[in-house]
Amino acid sequence: MAKVTRDDVARLAGTSTAVVSYVINNGPRPVAPATRERVLAAIKELGYRPDRVAQAMASRRTDLIGMIVPDARQPFFGEMAHAVEQAAAERGKMVLVGNSDYVAEREVHYLRAFLGMRVSGLILVSHALNDNAAAEIEAWDARVVLLHERPEAIDDVAVVTDDLGGAQLIVRHLLEHGYPYVACLGGTADTPSVGDPVSDHVEGWRRAMADAGISTEGRLFEAPYNRYDAYLVGLELLGGPDRPPAIFCSTDDQAIGVLRAARELRIDVPGELAVAGFDDVKEAALTDPPLTTIASDRKGMARAAVDLVLDDSVRVTGSRRERLKLFPSRLVVRRSCGCEETSAPPNV
């Protein structure tokens, strides 16, 4: 059976192929209501399906948005990707997600792949955007929105949380409980020293401790971001002779691992140890005890990222469109810090 074409629709509807295109793409020129109805009736009768690949080649853009995250298995990135997908659906777009697994070469691979597919734009959660990735973006003249972090290698449109302020807020809260000091679980040796949320969390911890006149010497510990490896770090840290009275973890996943280690070592939380995290993933409200943490407006951030990636004005030199959107952090008080739980339901 011969493939139905746009020409077939135009002949049946008694219009030009240009008018059929205007109806299918909802523009760029208006179509009279009666003519539109004839075109839609012809499309239905013939069973015409637009060739999206051909349209993409002609317009140099598809209905797709690319999104690259470090690891969608981690709840924070999974929840962020889902929020972006919902926001994109509101704009009639679909999202392709790639996992870089914290590997720079894989991040560049997805950049090339998605940009080669002529995506409408790219939302990038980069662990450590390097010069190769930045050069790839520049070569394609791509519309890229950095989400969650803003690496130094690129100065582009970004949507971020106040990671520094959020970390200071939660560490001050822990100190107000009267703990003599707060230890910190930071990132790994590969964590960038600047431009990364975890490095900002560590810096916020340092500032809050300094403001209280408390030394941070020997109180910062490296830990992978996933809960199992953080659990192993927690077993060693909490099982040693210098167990800290309170721990601020740079991510909720780390905090969940530490809570598991404390339970295994029969350490009462919060009676003998206070634990706090950062991100307010859904599971933070379900830990035992529920986790005190820092929340961000993920839905708002996702919607802002999608709006920016589809906004042509941000690509115009000298555009007054705001290129950095900073969302505030919010303290979510639960029982792991020693407070009675007062928080609303988990951030969804």
Side-chain angles (χ1 to χ4, degrees):
M1 183 177 179
K3 181 180 178 180
V4 178
T5 68
R6 195 168 299 189
D7 290 336
D8 298 327
V9 175
R11 279 194 294 272
L12 182 59
T15 64
S16 67
T17 55
V19 169
V20 174
S21 178
Y22 300 153
V23 171
I24 292 171
N25 297 311
N26 199 27
R29 294 184 180 179
V31 177
T35 304
R36 175 180 291 275
E37 289 302 319
R38 290 205 314 274
V39 171
L40 292 174
I43 289 173
K44 183 177 181 180
E45 181 177 336
L46 295 171
Y48 173 67
R49 295 292 181 270
D51 188 335
R52 295 300 184 187
V53 174
Q55 288 179 339
M57 292 178 67
S59 66
R60 300 180 64 83
R61 188 178 300 175
T62 66
D63 287 332
L64 301 173
I65 294 174
M67 182 176 185
I68 303 173
V69 299
D71 187 353
R73 293 172 301 178
Q74 294 182 18
F76 175 83
F77 296 122
E79 291 176 21
M80 183 62 82
H82 185 257
V84 167
E85 188 176 22
Q86 288 181 312
E90 293 172 4
R91 300 288 300 272
K93 303 292 183 181
M94 294 184 293
V95 179
L96 297 176
V97 178
N99 290 270
S100 69
D101 289 331
Y102 296 98
V103 177
E105 292 78 9
R106 190 164 298 170
E107 186 171 276
V108 173
H109 163 77
Y110 276 115
L111 276 169
R112 289 174 179 159
F114 287 163
L115 296 175
M117 293 176 186
R118 304 293 185 186
V119 294
S120 294
L122 193 65
I123 296 174
L124 177 59
V125 183
S126 177
H127 171 60
L129 190 68
N130 59 25
D131 292 336
N132 290 337
E136 198 72 32
I137 292 170
E138 184 176 354
W140 283 89
D141 190 30
R143 288 188 294 178
V144 175
V145 173
L146 303 172
L147 180 59
H148 181 51
E149 56 190 294
R150 194 179 194 184
E152 280 199 325
I154 185 171
D155 179 24
D156 215 319
V157 183
V159 178
V160 298
T161 302
D162 182 9
D163 291 289
L164 187 65
Q168 289 178 277
L169 180 64
I170 199 165
V171 175
R172 283 199 300 264
H173 177 77
L174 289 171
L175 291 172
E176 286 169 359
H177 276 277
Y179 302 116
Y181 71 91
V182 177
C184 178
L185 249 60
T188 65
D190 296 328
T191 301
S193 59
V194 292
D196 181 86
V198 168
S199 63
D200 284 345
H201 299 170
V202 172
E203 178 60 25
W205 165 75
R206 285 197 179 100
R207 293 187 185 185
M209 293 277 281
D211 290 344
I214 301 172
S215 172
T216 60
E217 185 68 28
R219 291 167 177 171
L220 172 63
F221 302 92
E222 290 187 359
Y225 304 123
N226 70 82
R227 62 189 65 179
Y228 181 75
D229 287 328
Y231 152 75
L232 296 178
V233 172
L235 285 177
E236 183 176 354
L237 176 60
L238 301 180
D242 298 320
R243 187 180 76 209
I247 302 177
F248 163 58
C249 300
S250 294
T251 71
D252 282 353
D253 256 18
Q254 291 174 325
I256 291 170
V258 169
L259 287 174
R260 166 68 191 200
R263 175 179 288 273
E264 191 166 309
L265 294 171
R266 300 183 182 277
I267 298 171
D268 178 62
V269 178
E272 300 173 89
L273 170 72
V275 179
F278 200 113
D279 288 334
D280 194 28
V281 300
K282 290 181 181 179
E283 292 165 279
L286 302 178
T287 58
D288 185 18
L291 182 65
T292 293
T293 185
I294 291 290
S296 58
D297 181 4
R298 278 196 281 283
K299 285 187 177 180
M301 292 174 67
R303 189 169 289 110
V306 170
D307 288 346
L308 286 170
V309 87
L310 298 178
D311 186 349
D312 288 320
S313 71
V314 298
R315 299 292 300 165
V316 177
T317 302
S319 169
R320 293 185 178 182
R321 182 62 188 264
E322 185 181 9
R323 299 178 66 82
L324 175 66
K325 288 189 175 293
L326 179 65
F327 281 73
S329 295
R330 175 173 59 88
L331 177 64
V332 179
V333 175
R334 299 192 178 103
R335 289 194 288 110
S336 70
C337 65
C339 287
E340 290 298 321
E341 188 164 355
T342 61
S343 68
N347 186 19
V348 294

